[in-house]
Structure formats: C-alpha cells, structure tokens
Amino acid sequence: MTTPEFRPDGPSPALARAEAALRLLSEPPVRLDAAVKRLGRGGGVYAWWAAPSVLPDLPGPPNASVPSLRLLYLGRAGSLRARILRNHLRRSGSSTLRRTLAGLLLSEGYRTTWTDRVVLIPEDETRLTAWMHANLQLTWAQDAEPVSVEATLVRRLHPPLNVSGVDPDHVQPAVVAAKKAYNASSHPPAES
C-alpha cells in the first residue's frame, strides 16, 4: 500500500476519509463466512483479497497486515451488507465483480443464459458463490459518502479487477477480455 499524502496544512477532509478507510481496508481480511455475520447496513467501501495463486496473472497490491494476500477488487455500497450479500454473493446480473470473475472462469465451464442481460445459470451462480467463499476474503470500511473514497482509493491502488476509475495504464487487458467474453457468452433470443 502507499503512504499517506500530507499537505502542509494537513490533509483535506476527503483525503482524510480515504486514509481512514484505507487503514481499515488494510486490516487482516476476513473469511466470507465470518464477514457476512459482521457487515453493517451502513454505506462504505469494501476490498476483496486473495492469495497470489488465485488468478495469478492479475497482480494486485499486498495487504498491509497479511502480505500473503493481495487486493483484487475495490467497491462501494450504500449498504455494505446488502451489496455483499444480495449482489456479490448471489447474482451475476447485479454484480460487476461476479460478472468479471465468471468471465475469468469461463474456461472452467461456467455457463450463462440471457434474461434481460447475460447471467450465470442458477447452478453456476451457486458454484461461483462457493468459489468465492473458498478463495476470497473481505475487508470493509463504513463511510457515509463512499463514492469519493472509492474513487480516491481505486486511482491510488489500481485493483486488477477494477476497470472503471483506474488509470488507463493500469487497466488489465485480461480483465477487459474476460468481461467481453462473458458478455458474448449468451445473446438475446432471436425474434421470429
């Protein structure tokens, strides 16, 4: 992780909030079974972490407390609990993280279908959730205005699974390709 940026008159309030969030996100990541019991309903930012052997071609910055884990994705939520439980751990149709992971794992037989968009079939939604529980860990920081905190931290940390808000030099081509492959894996039914 990077060191705080200080100005002679002290950090701006927005920068101070980002620094506070970064300290919490840099704590030891929590296994998902435990995290889902501890997540609050308030807004904030969250970070997904994994060992380097998980998606090894996508390096991310190490966790400051557990350097054997690296950052994969950073997001924001109006309700941390709802975003993680209802979207990221349940439905590919409403989770950029799930769609990206599914695209990266298509070669492992993940299957999609078309609803009003491309989604995993129900059995593979369940399978991806199990994969996430087995391979990913989570940290989070509550914040009443998570949009600016997320933008600051994404620009600073360059999480490999994030595309939006990342400096173009740090966007991972494999992630862009995975998103395209996922989106091309199912199409709307042809009209008769």
Side-chain angles (χ1 to χ4, degrees):
M1 301 285 178
T2 59
T3 57
E5 299 170 15
F6 290 101
R7 298 180 185 173
D9 57 347
S12 71
L15 184 57
R17 287 186 20 256
E19 290 299 330
L22 180 57
R23 281 190 295 278
L24 292 171
L25 295 176
S26 298
E27 290 183 356
V30 179
R31 306 253 348 136
L32 296 183
D33 291 341
V36 298
K37 295 173 185 169
R38 294 174 38 198
L39 286 165
R41 297 190 190 285
V45 291
Y46 52 88
W48 293 87
W49 304 88
S53 59
V54 175
L55 307 173
D57 296 334
L58 299 171
N63 180 277
S65 299
V66 184
S68 62
L69 295 175
R70 62 180 171 58
L71 179 63
L72 286 180
Y73 184 81
L74 199 140
R76 70 174 186 274
S79 167
L80 289 164
R81 184 170 186 75
R83 182 70 175 141
I84 302 301
L85 294 177
R86 291 188 193 139
N87 300 123
H88 289 318
L89 292 176
R90 190 173 294 168
R91 298 188 317 237
S92 57
S94 57
S95 168
T96 301
L97 173 64
R98 283 182 78 82
R99 289 190 300 273
T100 302
L101 290 171
L104 291 164
L105 298 170
L106 280 175
S107 65
E108 294 185 21
Y110 281 82
R111 298 156 294 164
T112 61
T113 189
W114 179 266
T115 58
D116 60 337
R117 66 188 84 190
V118 179
V119 296
L120 289 171
I121 65 167
E123 302 89 77
D124 285 341
E125 292 280 15
T126 301
R127 188 168 76 139
L128 181 58
T129 300
W131 183 93
M132 292 172 74
H133 275 270
N135 292 289
L136 304 180
Q137 295 182 41
L138 189 67
T139 56
W140 61 93
Q142 290 194 322
D143 189 278
E145 299 174 27
V147 173
S148 64
V149 171
E150 179 206 30
T152 298
L153 295 178
V154 166
R155 278 191 312 272
R156 181 193 258 175
L157 302 174
H158 315 292
L161 297 186
N162 287 74
V163 173
S164 181
V166 175
D167 181 295
D169 292 339
H170 293 280
V171 171
Q172 298 289 326
V175 171
V176 173
K179 287 173 170 280
K180 288 180 182 176
Y182 176 84
N183 289 329
S185 64
S186 289
H187 303 284
E191 293 184 29
S192 4

